[in-house]
Amino acid sequence: MLFLNNTWMIINEFAPYLILGCLVSGILSIFLSVEVVQKYLGKSSLWSVVVASILGVPMPLCSCGVIPVSAYLKKHGASNGATTSFLISTPQTGIDSIFITYGMLGPFFAIYRPIVAFMSGILGGSVVHFFDKSSLEKSELDCDDDCCDDNANKSSIYKILHYGFIRLPLDIVNPLIIGILLSSLIIVLIPSNYFELFGSGFLGMLIMLIVGLPTYVCATASVPLAFALYTKGFSLGAMLVFLMTGPATNITTMTVIYKVLGRKNLFIYLISIAFCAISAGLFLDYIYSPTELTVTNLNADHMLGSNMKFIFSLLLIAILLNSLRIKYLSNNLDSSMKKLKSISVEGMTCSHCEDSVKKNLLKISSISDVKIDLSTGKVLYSDSGDSLQEIIDSITSLGYKIK
């Protein structure tokens, strides 16, 4: 019973902020398309590194979703420095995660987190800019959003609501539910201040660095976990390290960065994130000592009453249930597509991965239709010619593997 109560309290606190974040993310999806971002990243200059970090911070892309977008930007002329900056800053935050951070960890942390993500992107991108002088092969864009967008003819309001409350929740539903349940378990099973002896200072941050670097947790789902660990003795600085490294690094991301940008840039990428995370964590603990956060007192100055929180919580549960229904119960491939050619792809995990693969394949002249089932990794396509090798090359250029 205590587990269920804590789970409900956690949902009750962040539901209004997550829903607001999803709405703003939907609005941003109209104005911050991949093509819009690409316009400002083509020149090999420090300014392109700064712009990449600025554009990356609000975009709701996790570390898996940012991989194909970054590969696309690199392929279409973005410099290595700008690509690295975008890779570092983007998965650490997003409008949705900023709002949920406010709801659970307070306004100061919600402001501090994106600032650190922005600065870490500039640092990593700048180092790559100065130390990687490899030539860039630029190509012209031959595709825009509308040519590959199933909702191209829909109104802006439809696109905003579809992205914010269907597409984005589809990407985060699994890690978010796991994060909520794990957070509640930590709160129930682990005594208060259990990690206090080693959870603060450099040691606590080093532990979070070791935990966060190889594992995958999205920027939004990591917040409930960070909150739960904070209540058990880890400092906010240590939690910042976890919130930076968990979303920004994992084994898959590192493998793809090695392939796309090379060994030297991968090393710079990891060192930049680790250095910024530890430095920002130590500085945060030095300047900020908040009132103790508990599961019933989350420190954020909430303006909504209990009735409104209840309504938003029910709405969020409905959104998550709908995402689970689409993900696991609906048939993504109609019978006509099942008769077409198929190829199995490893590494596609979200709607951004799906869109990137689809967009690239539709550039091949002999292909007229593409359907993707993320649950199985199958890509079905109608091919009037024999374009298998071109298809394989197109998919692997985005950082995915053919099974």
Side-chain angles (χ1 to χ4, degrees):
M1 191 65 181
L2 183 59
F3 171 77
L4 293 178
N5 285 339
N6 284 332
T7 301
W8 175 251
M9 286 181 184
I10 291 172
I11 294 174
N12 210 32
E13 288 300 332
F14 74 69
Y17 303 96
L18 181 56
I19 290 176
L20 179 59
C22 288
L23 177 61
V24 177
S25 296
I27 296 172
L28 283 179
S29 71
I30 300 293
F31 300 102
L32 285 183
S33 66
V34 175
E35 282 68 32
V36 169
V37 174
Q38 190 274 336
K39 284 182 183 178
Y40 301 97
L41 306 187
K43 294 182 179 180
S44 181
S45 65
L46 279 178
W47 177 241
S48 69
V49 170
V50 174
V51 172
S53 193
I54 292 174
L55 295 175
V57 166
M59 292 188 74
L61 287 173
C62 57
S63 61
C64 61
V66 76
I67 290 172
V69 175
S70 299
Y72 174 88
L73 295 174
K74 178 70 173 67
K75 184 179 179 181
H76 289 80
S79 67
N80 282 348
T83 303
T84 302
S85 178
F86 188 79
L87 274 167
I88 292 175
S89 65
T90 304
Q92 292 184 49
T93 62
I95 287 296
D96 53 332
S97 68
I98 292 172
F99 276 102
I100 193 176
T101 300
Y102 172 84
M104 300 202 76
L105 297 173
F108 185 89
F109 201 102
I111 296 172
Y112 190 79
R113 186 183 178 191
I115 291 175
V116 173
F118 167 69
M119 294 177 65
S120 63
I122 292 178
L123 175 63
S126 298
V127 174
V128 169
H129 172 75
F130 284 113
F131 287 94
D132 182 10
K133 299 299 183 181
S134 58
S135 61
L136 298 171
E137 293 183 7
K138 294 189 177 183
S139 57
E140 296 296 326
L141 285 173
D142 55 2
C143 180
D144 55 35
D145 280 344
D146 290 344
C147 75
C148 300
D149 187 355
D150 292 335
N151 299 320
N153 297 321
K154 304 292 185 180
S155 68
S156 294
I157 294 178
Y158 176 89
K159 291 179 182 179
I160 289 170
L161 296 178
H162 183 272
Y163 184 92
F165 298 109
I166 295 180
R167 176 172 164 177
L168 180 58
L170 274 172
D171 294 340
I172 67 173
V173 60
N174 286 349
L176 182 60
I177 291 175
I178 293 172
I180 293 170
L181 297 179
L182 281 178
S183 302
S184 187
L185 279 175
I186 290 171
I187 292 170
V188 170
L189 298 179
I190 299 177
S192 296
N193 299 320
Y194 183 79
F195 301 112
E196 190 171 17
L197 289 177
F198 55 86
S200 60
F202 182 78
L203 179 58
M205 295 175 199
L206 183 61
I207 293 172
M208 288 296 103
L209 182 68
I210 294 172
V211 170
L213 280 176
T215 57
Y216 167 72
V217 57
C218 74
T220 301
S222 62
V223 178
L225 283 174
F227 163 73
L229 290 171
Y230 174 76
T231 64
K232 301 307 176 182
F234 279 99
S235 69
L236 277 182
M239 290 304 92
L240 179 68
V241 174
F242 175 70
L243 290 172
M244 288 182 66
T245 57
T249 63
N250 59 64
I251 298 299
T252 302
T253 304
M254 289 186 278
T255 301
V256 175
I257 292 175
Y258 175 82
K259 179 179 178 181
V260 174
L261 297 178
R263 180 188 304 173
K264 180 170 65 175
N265 291 336
L266 172 60
F267 179 77
I268 294 173
Y269 173 87
L270 294 175
I271 293 299
S272 299
I273 292 175
F275 174 78
C276 287
I278 296 292
S279 301
L282 290 171
F283 185 68
L284 176 63
D285 283 346
Y286 178 75
I287 65 171
Y288 184 56
S289 299
T291 305
E292 183 181 1
L293 301 181
T294 67
V295 74
T296 56
N297 177 25
L298 297 182
N299 193 51
D301 183 17
H302 296 155
M303 296 177 288
L304 299 174
S306 57
N307 290 335
M308 288 300 297
K309 290 181 182 179
F310 180 80
I311 293 172
F312 276 110
S313 297
L314 292 181
L315 180 58
L316 177 61
I317 290 173
I319 292 171
L320 296 179
L321 288 175
N322 181 59
S323 298
L324 292 173
R325 178 191 65 81
I326 296 172
K327 207 174 187 77
Y328 297 109
L329 298 180
S330 62
N331 189 355
N332 295 325
L333 303 175
D334 57 46
S335 57
S336 62
M337 291 301 297
K338 290 179 180 178
K339 300 177 182 179
L340 300 179
K341 299 177 182 179
S342 69
I343 189 170
S344 295
V345 179
E346 182 179 338
M348 297 186 300
T349 57
C350 68
S351 60
H352 294 284
C353 303
E354 180 180 350
D355 287 350
S356 297
V357 171
K358 182 178 179 181
K359 179 179 292 188
N360 261 30
L361 293 185
L362 287 174
K363 293 177 183 178
I364 300 173
S365 59
S366 61
I367 294 180
S368 59
D369 199 4
V370 176
K371 294 289 183 182
I372 297 174
D373 186 353
L374 287 177
S375 62
T376 62
K378 279 195 172 182
V379 176
L380 284 83
Y381 57 94
S382 58
D383 186 1
S384 59
D386 185 14
S387 306
L388 180 59
Q389 188 56 51
E390 193 173 355
I391 291 170
I392 292 175
D393 292 341
S394 177
I395 293 174
T396 55
S397 71
L398 294 174
Y400 302 112
K401 295 180 180 179
I402 306 300
K403 294 182 180 178

